[in-house]
Amino acid sequence: MKAKKVIELEKINKNFLNGDVLTKVLHDVSFSVDEGEFISITGPSGSGKSTLLNILGLLDDASTGEYILNGENVTKLTEDEQSHVRNREIGFVFQSFNLLQRSSVLENVVLPSIYAGMKRDNREEKAKNLLSQVGLGDQILKRPNQLSGGQQQRVAIARSLINDPAIVLADEPTGNLDSKSGHDVMEIIKKLNKEGRTIIMITHDMDIAKQAQRIIHIRDGKVEK
């Protein structure tokens, strides 16, 4: 049985205009990702990895090209429509965690589900369950600054799952962690993949990249063949 393609990129280009200076960051990037696949995107600093991730996560638009997400051409959607798709179908894990320091661990995990319109009792119960799954069920009332870096990243992973996305985008998820915490986070990410989620991970660390099923190399804004 042929695998379903959840992501198809066709000749994606991204240019930035600064005054009269046009900078081309991505050049005819084309690849697809199958449902349930775990891929890593790697390349040197400045290669276009983060720009590509922003396009995949509907945080930015391509200049030209097509992006098909679960059979829908999202390049043709309005900003509000893209926001709706992003909140429903994509979870994000960032290198810097992006947690609200004045909110509790539970409140941080719950936040995306508020935007998605989930009922309060349901979202709090779900957030508690997710935090238990990442080993933080006893930390829900603490604030992020009371946790270690590895624990904060596990909170971020729980938050990325609150709306039950099919795709998780992880941008250097171990970049700010010591080796033990990084290993723990990677074990959680691999477990999520085994449960059927599609994982796309940006990393410059080849030891981390090799833990994925497939590696896409980006150099100078192009996919290396």
Side-chain angles (χ1 to χ4, degrees):
M1 187 171 159
K2 195 173 181 182
K4 175 189 172 187
K5 295 194 183 304
V6 290
I7 285 174
E8 296 171 86
L9 295 184
E10 186 64 35
K11 293 192 173 180
I12 292 291
N13 290 276
K14 181 62 180 178
N15 306 322
F16 291 100
L17 188 62
N18 185 5
D20 295 331
V21 180
L22 183 70
T23 304
K24 296 187 176 183
V25 180
L26 296 177
H27 308 264
D28 287 343
V29 171
S30 299
F31 63 84
S32 61
V33 181
D34 291 341
E35 185 175 37
E37 197 174 6
F38 178 12
I39 74 164
S40 62
I41 298 173
T42 189
S45 179
S47 60
K49 301 188 302 295
S50 293
T51 300
L52 178 57
L53 186 85
N54 286 340
I55 291 170
L56 288 169
L58 300 177
L59 298 170
D60 198 2
D61 291 322
S63 299
T64 59
E66 289 197 334
Y67 176 14
I68 311 297
L69 176 63
N70 282 325
E72 182 176 23
N73 188 346
V74 292
T75 50
K76 298 188 182 303
L77 299 181
T78 67
E79 197 171 316
D80 283 348
E81 288 169 337
Q82 285 187 352
S83 178
H84 180 69
V85 170
R86 181 173 64 243
N87 206 35
R88 186 181 70 239
E89 299 190 27
I90 302 171
F92 294 90
V93 179
F94 297 99
Q95 177 178 353
S96 55
F97 321 135
N98 286 14
L99 301 176
L100 300 176
Q101 295 299 321
R102 294 188 177 185
S103 298
S104 70
V105 163
L106 183 64
E107 289 166 340
N108 269 281
V109 174
V110 159
L111 191 60
S113 67
I114 296 173
Y115 297 128
M118 194 183 298
K119 291 181 180 177
R120 180 172 181 171
D121 289 349
N122 294 354
R123 67 192 184 222
E124 290 202 354
E125 181 182 359
K126 190 169 184 181
K128 288 175 183 177
N129 286 338
L130 287 168
L131 285 163
S132 292
Q133 288 174 36
V134 297
L136 294 173
D138 57 349
Q139 307 288 326
I140 64 172
L141 298 180
K142 288 190 176 178
R143 293 190 177 182
N145 63 9
Q146 295 175 292
L147 304 179
S148 68
Q151 288 174 320
Q152 289 187 62
Q153 192 60 295
R154 281 186 274 154
V155 173
I157 291 171
R159 179 188 58 192
S160 78
L161 301 175
I162 190 71
N163 289 336
D164 201 27
I167 301 166
V168 174
L169 299 182
D171 188 5
E172 301 278 8
T174 63
N176 282 343
L177 305 180
D178 60 58
S179 57
K180 168 69 169 63
S181 298
H183 175 268
D184 292 345
V185 163
M186 285 305 302
E187 288 304 305
I188 292 172
I189 288 174
K190 286 188 279 188
K191 181 172 179 284
L192 294 176
N193 178 242
K194 284 177 183 172
E195 292 169 354
R197 294 185 200 275
T198 305
I199 309 289
I200 300 175
M201 178 178 66
I202 298 280
T203 182
H204 68 277
D205 185 331
M206 282 307 298
D207 288 334
I208 298 293
K210 287 174 183 174
Q211 296 183 53
Q213 297 161 346
R214 178 163 62 106
I215 301 175
I216 293 174
H217 295 275
I218 301 281
R219 182 176 293 275
D220 299 328
K222 299 176 183 176
V223 175
E224 290 190 320
K225 303 297 183 186

